[in-house]
Amino acid sequence: MTRVFSGMQPTGVLHLGNYLGAMKQFIALQEEGECYYCIVDLHALTIPRDPAELRRRTRELAGLYVAAGLDPAKATIFVQSHNPDHAEAAWLLQCVARIGELSRMTQFKDKGKDSESATSGLFTYPVLMAADILLYQTEVVPVGEDQRQHMELTRDLAERFNRQYGEVFTVPDVRIQKATARIMGLDNPEKKMSKSAPSEANYIALLEEPKSILKKFKRAVTDSGTEIRFDPEQKAGVSNLLSIYSAVSGQSIDTLVEQYQGKGYGHLKVDTAEAVIAELEPLQARYHQLMESGEIDDILAKGAKQARAATAETLAKMKEAMGLIL
Ligand code: TYM
């Protein structure tokens, strides 16, 4: 069985971009692979957070994983800090990673490079991500487009470690779903949908009220024309709506374009909103039921045990290869 690993940060709200770009792939892959899906709370610490909020978001994300369709009987769902091997392997890999390559990471450049007060954790963030992945001898990593550079670094670190210390790691492949790799912001279709966007009009949260979802789609920024066609360069807003609609309805973009010939943007916006609401309503109902039941803590306890069992051997191999006494 293919080994699959991916993770999400428990920061801000989980949105439609996370869901369509990553989570839907997680759900599909659990049918064919041995999957590990992590809530990366240690990564969340790289930017200072309110501790109570981080605790709440961590449980919320676990609940959303399960409510969206991840099945704890098929996949291991766990919190990163519950498997201490991640932090330990990250240190070992920090002694393989180079300052030069970490300085070139666009996420670091965007979030902290020019700030004296940025944490050193933010700088070494991608090394912890590499540790997450490599510890599980992962073969496939499903993510959205924004993680591509981190994945290239992960592959480089695996190859360098194997060359320097002997074959320890599987070199993982990235899996990016082209159609949903980069869901754009509703308020600005030139930029990706993001939980750190300054305006709430940017994203649809997975737990958002149907009324608010409809309102945001109605106000989604499009060009001033009337023609509905898929052209991300010239018609970013309309193309983003078509991508979202297609992903939640299962209809191809070509079919949708044909269906909306001669109709205005207004129709497309309302129908996209309704398709998104139809997708999210059952998820929201399952989420609330699950969180009331208290079941999520048991799922995470079981996941932690499975995760620890899966990484012990690789961590020991890393240490031995590097010259530590076991
Ligand atoms: P995070 O928490 O920012 O995002 C979680 C996943 O959602 C995808 N994503 C998107 N996909 C399409 N359109 C968008 N607008 C959009 N926004 C976010 C992301 O690509 C990601 O797949 N560094 C990672 C977390 C991580 C990780 C890992 C991932 C830590 N360790 C190991 C994979 C494997 C992150 O910050 O994702």
Side-chain angles (χ1 to χ4, degrees), residues 7 9 17-18 125 129 132 143-144 146-147 180-181 183 193 195:
Q9 290 199 66
N18 302 128
Y125 177 113
M129 177 162 161
D132 295 342
V143 283
D146 60 355
Q147 298 301 313
T180 50
I183 300 294
M193 187 176 282
K195 42 193 158 193

Side-chain angles (χ1 to χ4, degrees), residues 179-214:
T180 50
R182 203 168 143 83
I183 300 294
M184 309 307 273
L186 295 185
D187 62 341
N188 176 4
E190 306 294 332
K191 285 200 160 164
K192 71 168 183 182
M193 187 176 282
S194 163
K195 42 193 158 193
S196 52
S199 159
E200 285 187 9
N202 171 271
Y203 56 77
I204 301 292
L206 294 191
L207 293 175
E208 196 154 334
E209 296 269 339
K211 246 177 38 202
S212 166
I213 296 178
L214 181 61

Side-chain angles (χ1 to χ4, degrees), residues 93-102 104 127 134 152-169 171:
L93 287 176
Q94 276 182 55
C95 300
V96 176
R98 296 171 182 157
I99 289 181
E101 62 196 349
L102 295 183
R104 287 190 293 273
V127 185
L134 299 178
E152 280 163 13
L153 179 80
T154 300
R155 289 172 55 88
D156 288 348
L157 291 179
E159 283 166 359
R160 190 178 310 147
F161 189 102
N162 287 347
R163 243 190 343 264
Q164 227 164 299
Y165 295 111
E167 286 289 320
V168 170
F169 296 128
V171 181

Side-chain angles (χ1 to χ4, degrees), residues 5-9 11 15 17-18 20-22 26 40 43 80 107 125 128-129 132-133 141-147 150-151 180-184 192-195:
F5 184 100
S6 198
M8 292 194 182
Q9 290 199 66
T11 54
H15 57 66
N18 302 128
L20 298 177
F26 295 6
V40 297
H43 277 110
Q80 188 184 32
Q107 191 165 305
Y125 177 113
L128 177 58
M129 177 162 161
D132 295 342
I133 295 165
V141 184
V143 283
E145 179 63 41
D146 60 355
Q147 298 301 313
H150 287 157
M151 282 307 302
T180 50
R182 203 168 143 83
I183 300 294
M184 309 307 273
K192 71 168 183 182
M193 187 176 282
S194 163
K195 42 193 158 193

Side-chain angles (χ1 to χ4, degrees), residues 105-121:
M105 293 286 117
T106 50
Q107 191 165 305
F108 177 66
K109 286 200 242 169
D110 292 349
K111 286 193 183 164
K113 190 162 189 162
D114 299 322
S115 158
E116 270 289 305
S117 59
T119 66
S120 50

Side-chain angles (χ1 to χ4, degrees), residues 238-276:
V238 170
S239 302
N240 192 38
L241 293 176
L242 287 167
S243 297
I244 293 171
Y245 195 177
S246 166
V248 293
S249 69
Q251 299 186 72
S252 74
I253 289 190
D254 288 347
T255 309
L256 292 174
V257 167
E258 212 169 290
Q259 206 172 305
Y260 283 89
Q261 279 321 302
K263 296 187 184 164
Y265 293 169
H267 278 104
L268 177 65
K269 287 180 176 178
V270 170
D271 292 354
T272 304
E274 279 171 3
V276 167

